[in-house]
Amino acid sequence: MKKDIVIMIVDDNVNFVSRMTGLLENIDGISSINVVGDYESAVRLLIEQTPDFLLLDINLPGKSGMEILKMIKDKNLECEVIMVTNHADDYYRNQCKKLGAKHFLDKSSEFGLVTKIISQQILNWSVTL
C-alpha cells in the first residue's frame, strides 16, 4: 500500500470541512488532512507539499477553485483532484474536467462519494505496488 497518503481540502465552508474531515479520518492509509479556506493559502500549501488528493470547491475567497486547477495544470503538479461544489451544473463540470479534475461532485448530494473514490484509489495503488 502507498504509505503516507496526504489529503488537502480547499473549502471555506466550515461545516462541510468538519463533516468531510470526520469521514476521511476513518480511511486507513491517510497520514494527514490539510485544510485551507482560500486561494492564496491553497496555492502556497500546494507548492510546499503536493497532496495525493485535493478536494476543491469552486467558490473561494480570493480566486476560484478553477484558478487553482489552472495552476496545478501549468505547474504539472501530480494530485488527484476531486471537485466538491454547489456549482454542479454542466458548464462547471466540463470546464473543471478540461482543467484536469478527475472527479466532479455535487456538494449537497454526492459528498459521500469522496470516501469511496479515495478508498478505491488507495486500494488500486496497493495492488500496483
Side-chain angles (χ1 to χ4, degrees), residues 69-87:
L69 279 173
K70 288 176 189 172
M71 187 274 301
I72 290 169
K73 188 174 185 175
D74 290 345
K75 294 193 178 292
N76 293 319
L77 301 179
E78 291 188 31
C79 64
E80 188 160 328
V81 179
I82 304 170
M83 299 301 296
V84 187
T85 182
N86 286 322
H87 299 288

Side-chain angles (χ1 to χ4, degrees), residues 5 10 16 97 112 128:
I5 302 295
V10 181
F16 171 78
K97 292 281 189 162
T128 59

Side-chain angles (χ1 to χ4, degrees), residues 15-96:
N15 291 330
F16 171 78
V17 169
S18 177
R19 280 177 77 185
M20 189 54 60
T21 303
L23 291 172
L24 293 170
E25 288 173 341
N26 294 318
I27 298 176
D28 289 335
I30 295 176
S31 64
S32 67
I33 302 169
N34 303 311
V35 177
V36 295
D38 63 87
Y39 173 86
E40 294 297 328
S41 300
V43 169
R44 195 169 34 255
L45 189 57
L46 276 165
I47 291 170
E48 288 174 14
Q49 178 186 23
T50 303
D52 298 291
F53 296 96
L54 173 62
L55 277 58
L56 181 60
D57 191 10
I58 289 175
N59 193 19
L60 299 169
K63 293 184 181 179
S64 82
M66 291 173 66
E67 291 297 320
I68 292 173
L69 279 173
K70 288 176 189 172
M71 187 274 301
I72 290 169
K73 188 174 185 175
D74 290 345
K75 294 193 178 292
N76 293 319
L77 301 179
E78 291 188 31
C79 64
E80 188 160 328
V81 179
I82 304 170
M83 299 301 296
V84 187
T85 182
N86 286 322
H87 299 288
D89 58 60
D90 286 340
Y91 170 78
Y92 286 111
R93 179 181 307 275
N94 293 334
Q95 292 301 310
C96 291

